[in-house]
Amino acid sequence: MLAYVVRRLALIPVTLFGIMLINFAVAQLAPGGPVELMIARIKGTAVEATARVSGAGGETMGGQVSRSMAQQEGTSVYRGAQGLDPAFIKEIEKQFGFDKPPAERFAKMMKDYIRFDFGKSFYRDVPVVRLIVEKMPVSISLGLWSTLIIYLVSIPLGIAKATRDGSAFDIGTSWAVIVGYAVPGFLFAILLIVLFAGGTYVSWFPLRGLTSPDWDQLGWAGKIRDYFWHLALPVTALVIGGFASLTMLTKNCFLDEINKQYVVTARAKGLTERRVLYGHVFRNAMLLIIAGFPSALVGILFTGALLVEIIFSLDGIGLLGYQAVINRDYPVMFGTLYIFSLLGLVLNLVSDLTYHFVDPRIDFEKREV
């Protein structure tokens, strides 16, 4: 098994390089880069976008460039379609690092990323790592608790449906599963706001943030209550939208194992149904489910919560990535892509090791990587 792990670890840098190269090439081909966006803002056609990316990191690059333009021209920076000095455009390209050819920029980016130096955001003037660390608690909270609850609910429910296949319980819960699968999580989030967050009926839960303004003044018990009070609705929205597929996967895995010959043999030996189910069937049926846990966690942690973050005003990784794409903030875009791709590749290896741990009969060294 050690040789397999070494081979997989050796493939991670190659795969990561390919991911970054493809995405970098796509970004170069996409219309409207950071320079074009900044020129549009200076001309006065994107004033609101400049205001949105101003923030806690101090003065934005847009503000610096705009004031520099005003000093050079001696006029207002909002001048509609008036042309700009080519020398000044060259200055903007230099500030963004676009005065160098793409191949040189990519080589420098990868050299810095190997050292985990992701630079600063174009518009917030804040290191990318600091931005990610600031947003991470929100995404970790949503992803960790929603994934944990989804597994705690879906696995027992799937087992119960498999053992009662075709019963009224199975049919009734299948309708709930269908609704959960068909309706997106963000629609459940809106419904929860209308019902429980002051939308129309009651106002039992807060609508913004992960903690209350006076959180620092609370005792440890009060902080825990306040934390889960704010998480209740967003986590519920993610759980309702995410438990359906895992429930059906668990049911189908157990049904497939229950109908195999070794189960019939175990029952013929006089073993109790509980012993057969949890002593023999459970381990084999859970292989696929356990192996999918890392990817499920990454999916919920970094992608699935974007709309929920927006609806509940939670400033997490999903919202950060969305704003980076809209504003062509390449350091944030590629920095988060690098970190999360690396995390995903490592978790895929963890998934394979989990397979082997659950069932030692699975030997990855005997197959080609």
Side-chain angles (χ1 to χ4, degrees):
M1 195 66 184
L2 180 60
Y4 172 77
V5 173
V6 172
R7 289 197 301 269
R8 286 291 299 272
L9 289 175
L11 281 174
I12 287 179
V14 178
T15 307
L16 190 59
F17 179 84
I19 292 172
M20 298 302 297
L21 178 61
I22 292 173
N23 282 274
F24 184 85
V26 171
Q28 305 312 302
L29 298 174
V35 176
E36 291 85 350
L37 185 60
M38 183 57 66
I39 291 174
R41 288 172 180 169
I42 293 172
K43 287 183 176 180
T45 58
V47 180
E48 293 182 2
T50 303
R52 280 199 305 272
V53 296
S54 301
E59 183 181 22
T60 64
M61 184 175 288
Q64 297 168 358
V65 173
S66 298
R67 260 201 319 281
S68 176
M69 177 65 188
Q71 292 170 0
Q72 291 185 21
E73 299 289 329
T75 58
S76 171
V77 297
Y78 306 113
R79 294 161 300 162
Q82 183 176 343
L84 298 178
D85 185 356
F88 183 67
I89 296 178
K90 292 292 184 182
E91 181 184 337
I92 297 176
E93 292 177 346
K94 184 176 181 180
Q95 290 193 29
F96 283 112
F98 279 76
D99 57 330
K100 300 179 178 64
E104 185 176 344
R105 285 189 280 118
F106 178 75
K108 182 181 183 302
M109 182 183 73
M110 294 305 299
K111 181 179 178 180
D112 293 338
Y113 283 12
I114 291 174
R115 304 193 306 266
F116 289 92
D117 178 10
F118 303 106
K120 289 186 177 182
S121 167
F122 279 162
Y123 305 109
R124 301 178 189 236
D125 197 28
V126 176
V128 174
V129 173
R130 177 180 162 187
L131 280 175
I132 294 175
V133 171
E134 288 177 353
K135 313 300 181 184
M136 192 66 77
V138 172
S139 295
I140 289 179
S141 296
L142 291 176
L144 182 63
W145 291 113
S146 58
T147 303
L148 180 62
I149 295 174
I150 285 172
Y151 269 74
L152 289 177
V153 171
S154 298
I155 292 176
L157 181 59
I159 295 173
K161 288 175 64 63
T163 56
R164 298 172 177 82
D165 185 38
S167 66
F169 171 82
D170 180 39
I171 296 173
T173 53
S174 293
W175 281 105
V177 169
I178 291 172
V179 172
Y181 185 79
V183 181
F186 72 89
L187 289 183
F188 278 115
I190 296 173
L191 177 62
L192 292 173
I193 290 175
V194 172
L195 294 178
F196 303 112
T200 302
Y201 297 95
V202 297
S203 183
W204 293 346
F205 297 94
L207 190 56
R208 299 179 62 86
L210 195 61
T211 56
S212 298
D214 61 343
W215 190 80
D216 291 332
Q217 303 173 8
L218 301 174
W220 65 270
K223 289 182 178 180
I224 293 175
R225 286 196 300 269
D226 183 76
Y227 170 73
F228 284 107
W229 183 46
H230 281 77
L231 276 179
L233 293 188
V235 168
T236 300
L238 289 173
V239 168
I240 291 176
F243 84 101
S245 57
L246 183 59
T247 298
M248 296 308 298
L249 177 62
T250 304
K251 176 188 174 182
N252 292 333
C253 287
F254 270 79
L255 281 178
D256 184 58
E257 293 295 325
I258 286 173
N259 294 324
K260 289 185 176 179
Q261 184 62 42
Y262 75 90
V263 176
V264 177
T265 303
R267 286 171 175 165
K269 290 181 177 180
L271 297 180
T272 64
E273 191 65 22
R274 183 179 182 85
R275 178 70 182 277
V276 171
L277 186 62
Y278 293 101
H280 297 274
V281 175
F282 186 83
R283 186 178 67 176
N284 294 328
M286 290 299 293
L287 282 174
L288 184 61
I289 299 166
I290 292 175
F293 179 80
S295 59
L297 179 59
V298 171
I300 293 177
L301 194 59
F302 302 122
T303 59
L306 170 59
L307 293 176
V308 173
E309 287 181 12
I310 295 174
I311 292 170
F312 289 99
S313 299
L314 298 171
D315 194 7
I317 295 295
L319 188 58
L320 174 67
Y322 172 76
Q323 291 174 341
V325 172
I326 294 299
N327 292 302
R328 302 298 194 271
D329 197 345
Y330 286 172
V332 177
M333 283 175 53
F334 291 117
T336 53
L337 174 66
Y338 183 89
I339 293 174
F340 300 148
S341 297
L342 178 60
L343 181 62
L345 292 170
V346 172
L347 286 178
N348 280 334
L349 176 58
V350 172
S351 178
D352 287 346
L353 295 178
T354 305
Y355 259 128
H356 180 74
F357 177 77
V358 174
D359 190 349
R361 295 172 299 176
I362 299 177
D363 188 359
F364 290 99
E365 290 191 22
K366 295 182 179 179
R367 73 174 191 180
E368 294 292 333
V369 178

